[in-house]
Amino acid sequence: MAAIRASSRRLLSTLSAMPHAPFPPPEALSAATAVKPFQPQVWASLQPPPTSSLHAFASRIRLFESSLPGEPTKQPPANLPEILTQALTHRSFLKLLAEHASQESSTMATPRTNQEWEVLGNHLMGLFAAEFVHASWPHLPTRIVKAAVSAYVGPQTCADVAKEWGMGNMVRWTRIPKEGDQKAVTQQDAYASAVRSIVALTYQHLSIGHARALVHKYFLSREVDLRPLIKFRNPTQALQETVKAFGREKPVSRLLKETGRYSISPMYVVGVFSGADKLGEGFGSSLRMAEFRASEDALRKLYLTKTPPHLLTLPTSTFDSTASSEPFSGLSKWTTKGYTAGELGECEVLYGSSDKQMRGKPSGRVASEVSATPA
């Protein structure tokens, strides 16, 4: 019993020494509650995240533990709780604060939001993802590259990462409906802004190399299936023009297998060949469907040709990891990285040369046969 009392006293002394807002707050006991009832949930949402939670979050994602080879772990800044609180404060929080803040707190300074960091982090994540996608799949069309970048670092992915990081209870925001030209603010927007701000914070307080390592570790290391993103309107004609552009023989469709031709559910397997090389294979309940899928399979094999990991080089790998405030200083250090530019692939399928009056070959337009589906 004595040991339990001693541990209880130590716990109470520790809790009393920790900074925290008094509860119940003074406004809950004032006469103003007779006019406007006290709302505990709103009061809790107005409080900043506890300092212990902020330090635990930074340690959980290893924010200041170096991810670069040969570099020691850096000490977190003295104002870590302050900058993390700003990174976790969405601009919509100002509206909630203005609506529910008490008169006594009206003289307090307006909290800083992550609006500027969100923009910077979004551009950095887009840069890292775009170069990674283009270098990994050099033949992807532009539309598919954009859809793949959105799949890797888009708002939905950022919101999912925020939940995995355990940021849900620390992000300060409020839901705002759409009014006129003003966009609505949802939970996904608030969580995504917090994650982008963490990337910008890493760039500002560490280096662009650390920000790049953070994005590669938590975003670009994920497996994203790019096949559903590629859709073809006429894959047979697109394949013919593609094979012609590469100087290969004209593709020929051949029936490989079939079963149940005269039954209610036939099945055909068709292969597309260029000379003796089989380019693709597809199946279907009709010959036309099987040929369509075979041509689609051949084009996807071209577009989704991936660079081997040991041959993958990225332009941002030349950046000096120690340069943060002046990222374009010391250019002589960058040239010693040994960067080798990747391959420029056949990223667009064009056929049907036509003019502005849409006169020309059968398609009647000059357009890519590839369209991206939403990620």
Side-chain angles (χ1 to χ4, degrees):
M1 293 296 294
I4 296 177
R5 293 193 187 96
S7 61
S8 300
R9 285 195 296 269
R10 287 195 299 268
L11 179 61
L12 291 175
S13 61
T14 303
L15 292 176
S16 61
M18 294 176 60
H20 62 280
F23 189 86
E27 54 265 27
L29 305 176
S30 63
T33 57
V35 181
K36 186 177 181 180
F38 174 68
Q39 302 177 2
Q41 294 181 352
V42 175
W43 177 86
S45 62
L46 294 176
Q47 306 306 313
T51 304
S52 58
S53 299
L54 297 175
H55 283 284
F57 165 71
S59 177
R60 183 163 58 248
I61 66 173
R62 300 181 178 181
L63 187 58
F64 288 92
E65 295 184 14
S66 178
S67 301
L68 304 179
E71 289 195 5
T73 302
K74 296 186 178 181
Q75 294 295 330
N79 60 340
L80 177 63
E82 179 182 350
I83 60 178
L84 283 181
T85 301
Q86 179 182 351
L88 299 175
T89 303
H90 191 260
R91 61 182 181 273
S92 62
F93 176 74
L94 298 180
K95 180 180 180 181
L96 178 67
L97 184 64
E99 292 177 353
H100 299 281
S102 60
Q103 296 180 356
E104 291 80 1
S105 60
S106 60
T107 57
M108 298 175 57
T110 303
R112 303 180 64 181
T113 65
N114 60 5
Q115 185 172 3
E116 296 180 356
W117 280 352
E118 178 187 2
V119 176
L120 176 59
N122 186 36
H123 283 78
L124 287 172
M125 296 175 70
L127 168 66
F128 299 143
E131 67 170 4
F132 173 78
V133 171
H134 181 68
S136 299
W137 296 276
H139 300 291
L140 278 183
T142 304
R143 293 181 180 179
I144 313 303
V145 170
K146 293 180 179 179
V149 169
S150 178
Y152 272 109
V153 295
Q156 183 61 52
T157 306
C158 290
D160 294 340
V161 172
K163 296 177 182 178
E164 295 174 3
W165 285 354
M167 300 172 60
N169 296 329
M170 295 187 294
V171 179
R172 300 196 293 177
W173 69 287
T174 185
R175 191 179 303 275
I176 299 178
K178 182 178 180 181
E179 296 179 358
D181 297 336
Q182 181 182 4
K183 295 183 179 180
V185 176
T186 61
Q187 184 186 65
Q188 176 179 305
D189 299 330
Y191 285 6
S193 70
V195 171
R196 293 164 180 163
S197 300
I198 294 298
V199 175
L201 182 151
T202 306
Y203 164 74
Q204 183 173 354
H205 290 271
L206 293 176
S207 68
I208 191 171
H210 288 81
R212 175 175 171 269
L214 180 69
V215 174
H216 275 260
K217 180 178 181 181
Y218 290 105
F219 291 90
L220 302 182
S221 61
R222 298 168 177 258
E223 291 292 337
V224 176
D225 188 9
L226 302 182
R227 291 175 298 176
L229 302 180
I230 306 177
K231 297 294 182 182
F232 301 93
R233 292 190 296 270
N234 192 344
T236 303
Q237 187 174 2
L239 180 61
Q240 292 177 359
E241 295 298 327
T242 303
V243 171
K244 182 179 179 181
F246 280 94
R248 303 288 298 274
E249 296 184 22
K250 183 178 179 180
V252 178
S253 300
R254 298 173 183 172
L255 180 62
L256 302 180
K257 297 179 182 179
E258 68 169 299
T259 181
R261 179 184 286 263
Y262 298 105
S263 66
I264 194 173
S265 56
M267 185 61 62
Y268 303 92
V269 179
V270 172
V272 178
F273 293 82
S274 176
D277 300 328
K278 185 171 71 171
L279 304 180
E281 182 177 314
F283 68 93
S285 58
S286 65
L287 291 174
R288 185 175 181 179
M289 179 187 297
E291 183 182 8
F292 182 95
R293 291 177 174 174
S295 301
E296 195 175 42
D297 179 57
L299 287 173
R300 283 178 175 172
K301 287 181 178 179
L302 168 65
Y303 284 136
L304 299 179
T305 301
K306 190 173 183 179
T307 305
H310 65 280
L311 299 178
L312 184 64
T313 56
L314 303 176
T316 55
S317 62
T318 61
F319 287 174
D320 183 13
S321 62
T322 61
S324 175
S325 59
E326 297 180 2
F328 296 101
S329 62
L331 295 178
S332 59
K333 300 180 181 179
W334 300 357
T335 57
T336 61
K337 299 288 185 177
Y339 168 71
T340 303
E343 176 188 1
L344 291 178
E346 297 288 339
C347 61
E348 299 290 347
V349 173
L350 300 177
Y351 68 87
S353 103
S354 58
D355 52 19
K356 294 182 179 180
Q357 283 74 30
M358 308 305 290
R359 296 173 299 186
K361 293 192 176 180
S363 64
R365 61 182 179 276
V366 176
S368 174
E369 262 300 292
V370 181
S371 60
T373 57

